[in-house]
């Protein structure tokens, strides 16, 4: 049944409904649970608005919530959403175990599930929507190698959360590039629980001290972890001298790239990812098969999950403007204060 659409969307922050202009409004309701607000600013600053735009455009009812880093809270939100009649539930799991339990319960109530961004190992999601996360890691590894060049270099790896399958793939991708380069030595490597930025600074400080400060490059898995490493390098007067990688093309990450304290970041368009999620969710609501790019193997049981995997893009000083022209960030947010001149130099206005 088509829902009537009216021009404006007067819905509250986290719920939307029938505001679409599209003619094929779906008669279902989509629930999305984002993981937290701290492991990356992307979830609230990029994903939420992109998801709202995609669902509004499709004219489908939705409810987007954030679990605030608490798996129990995610479970409760899922229960409430199911009680409120969502037909499709997409989650960014906080760990595979709790994610799989949420999906199992949803399935028992006839609710289809989608893994958004992170694959739930041992889960039962009908589809997985993400970027090619191994390629993300490869771009980071290659980016760091490009910044370091041919010299001999000691590298520290600051990996993402051990409970995030993506973090495993990022590290694998980066290792696949860097381990083959005989001039590099990995002198420290640690995963950062929950991608916690403060803990990342502590961990990096320890790795840095253990290596006697002989660290020439840092493979940091996202911009938040990169920022943590940069803060420690700054204390040692080494910021800008030791290349650091990142991911998410956050405002801070892009500013660090422009300032030269971060060697690169990885841009993953939230508009693309949210749009892909909306397409898949609407297909499920309509009882149709979604178009996929392939399957992803769940390493816990070798099952294959139909997937849409998008292409990430490496960003260095030379192409920060690409993120802005693609709508990934606004120039007015990146080019504040001291960054105005750096933006002008980089041709960003
Ligand atoms: C996402 C990254 C994000 C990280 C921390 C990963 O699963 O793919 O984009 O930076 O989680 O939230």
């Amino acid at each position: 049944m088509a829902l009537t659409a009216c021009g404006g969307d007067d819905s509250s922050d986290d719920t939307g409904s029938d505001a679409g202009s599209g003619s094929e409004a779906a008669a279902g309701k989509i629930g999305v649970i984002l993981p937290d607000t701290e492991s990356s600013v992307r979830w609230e600053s990029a994903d939420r608005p992109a998801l709202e735009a995609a669902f509004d455009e499709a004219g489908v009812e939705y409810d987007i919530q954030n679990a605030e880093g608490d798996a129990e809270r995610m479970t409760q939100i899922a229960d409430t959403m199911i009680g409120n009649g969502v037909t499709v539930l997409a989650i960014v799991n906080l760990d595979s175990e709790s994610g799989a339990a949420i999906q199992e319960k949803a399935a028992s109530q006839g609710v289809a599930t989608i893994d958004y961004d992170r694959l739930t190992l041992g889960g039962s999601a009908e589809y997985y929507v993400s970027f090619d996360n191994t390629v993300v890691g490869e771009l980071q590894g290659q980016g760091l190698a490009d910044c370091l060049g041919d010299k001999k270099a000691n590298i520290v790896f600051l990996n993402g959360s051990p409970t995030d399958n993506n973090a495993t793939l990022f590290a694998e991708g980066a290792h696949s590039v860097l381990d083959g380069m005989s001039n590099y030595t990995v002198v420290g490597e640690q995963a950062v629980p929950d991608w916690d930025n403060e803990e990342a600074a502590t961990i990096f400080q320890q790795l840095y001290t253990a290596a006697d400060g002989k660290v020439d490059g840092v493979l940091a898995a996202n911009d938040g972890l990169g920022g943590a490493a940069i803060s420690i390098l700054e204390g040692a007067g080494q910021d800008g001298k030791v290349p650091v990688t990142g991911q998410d093309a956050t405002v801070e990450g892009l500013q660090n790239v422009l300032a030269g304290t971060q060697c690169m970041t990885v841009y993953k368009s939230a508009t693309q990812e949210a749009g892909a999620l909306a397409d898949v969710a609407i297909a499920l609501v309509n009882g149709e098969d979604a178009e996929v790019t392939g399957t992803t193997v769940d390493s816990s049981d070798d099952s294959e999950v139909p997937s849409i995997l998008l292409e990430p893009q490496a960003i260095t000083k030379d192409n920060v403007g690409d993120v802005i022209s693609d709508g990934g960030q606004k120039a007015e947010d990146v080019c504040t204060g001291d960054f105005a001149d750096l933006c002008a130099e980089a041709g960003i206005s």
Side-chain angles (χ1 to χ4, degrees):
M1 204 207 294
L3 298 162
T4 46
C6 54
D9 182 2
D10 58 358
S11 57
S12 72
D13 262 357
D14 48 19
T15 53
S17 63
D18 64 13
S21 54
S23 51
E24 359 162 24
K29 185 170 173 184
I30 297 162
V32 182
I33 315 180
L34 301 172
D36 62 64
T37 56
E38 312 243 302
S39 66
S40 172
V41 292
R42 66 165 279 188
W43 305 113
E44 289 297 327
S45 71
D47 291 82
R48 181 189 286 274
L51 289 163
E52 288 173 350
F55 293 140
D56 282 344
E57 161 104 24
V60 66
E61 257 193 279
Y62 59 89
D63 183 3
I64 304 170
Q65 304 276 345
N66 192 308
E68 310 282 352
D70 180 345
E72 230 165 86
R73 186 152 170 185
M74 188 178 290
T75 305
Q76 283 160 6
I77 294 171
D79 287 345
T80 307
M81 284 183 170
I82 293 168
N84 289 342
V86 295
T87 26
V88 174
L89 176 65
I91 61 167
V92 184
N93 75 56
L94 283 163
D95 63 85
S96 284
E97 204 184 333
S98 64
I102 288 170
Q103 293 175 343
E104 203 177 311
K105 213 186 230 173
S108 74
Q109 316 268 329
V111 173
T113 57
I114 305 171
D115 273 328
Y116 183 58
D117 202 72
R118 299 177 181 165
L119 184 70
T120 301
L121 300 180
S124 52
E126 269 82 358
Y127 291 98
Y128 176 41
V129 174
S130 192
F131 281 80
D132 187 324
N133 294 300
T134 308
V135 172
V136 170
E138 288 168 4
L139 294 177
Q140 292 172 327
Q142 191 56 53
L144 187 62
D146 291 345
C147 284
L148 284 169
D150 291 339
K151 64 175 189 218
K152 270 187 167 300
N154 289 342
I155 296 173
V156 164
F157 273 64
L158 208 47
N159 296 329
S161 176
T163 57
D164 180 350
N165 182 58
N166 286 347
T168 308
L169 301 177
F170 301 148
E172 278 173 9
H175 272 294
S176 76
V177 172
L178 294 169
D179 292 1
M181 299 178 172
S182 57
N183 47 327
Y184 301 145
T185 312
V186 178
V187 294
E189 173 159 19
Q190 212 165 304
V192 178
D194 304 323
W195 295 88
D196 184 300
N197 293 354
E198 273 173 40
E199 211 172 328
T202 309
I203 290 171
F204 182 72
Q205 175 71 71
Q206 283 161 358
L207 294 171
Y208 191 75
T209 307
D212 257 340
K214 295 195 178 85
V215 174
D216 306 301
V218 184
L219 195 295
N222 77 358
D223 287 351
L225 304 191
I230 291 166
S231 72
I232 300 302
L233 291 170
E234 206 178 335
Q238 293 297 306
D239 55 314
K241 297 181 189 145
V242 175
V244 177
T245 64
Q247 168 177 198
D248 289 343
T250 61
V251 168
E252 196 193 339
L254 293 175
Q255 289 177 335
N256 287 341
V257 169
L258 288 171
T261 50
Q262 188 171 321
C263 133
M264 59 91 67
T265 184
V266 178
Y267 176 52
K268 305 186 296 184
S269 158
T271 303
Q272 274 186 34
E273 195 173 9
L277 178 67
D279 289 347
V280 172
I282 286 157
L284 281 171
V285 162
N286 292 332
E288 293 160 4
D289 287 338
E291 256 180 67
V292 295
T293 58
T295 57
T296 302
V297 177
D298 174 341
S299 60
S300 75
D301 56 12
D302 286 339
S303 60
E304 290 189 12
V305 189
S307 305
I308 298 185
L309 295 188
L310 303 161
E311 210 183 304
Q313 188 189 353
I315 300 296
T316 61
K317 220 181 232 184
D318 295 337
N319 63 349
V320 169
D322 286 6
V323 179
I324 312 242
S325 56
D326 194 54
Q329 295 294 355
K330 292 197 186 78
E332 70 207 55
D333 293 331
V334 176
C335 306
T336 51
D338 289 350
F339 297 102
D341 286 350
L342 293 168
C343 279
E345 270 169 45
I348 301 162
S349 51

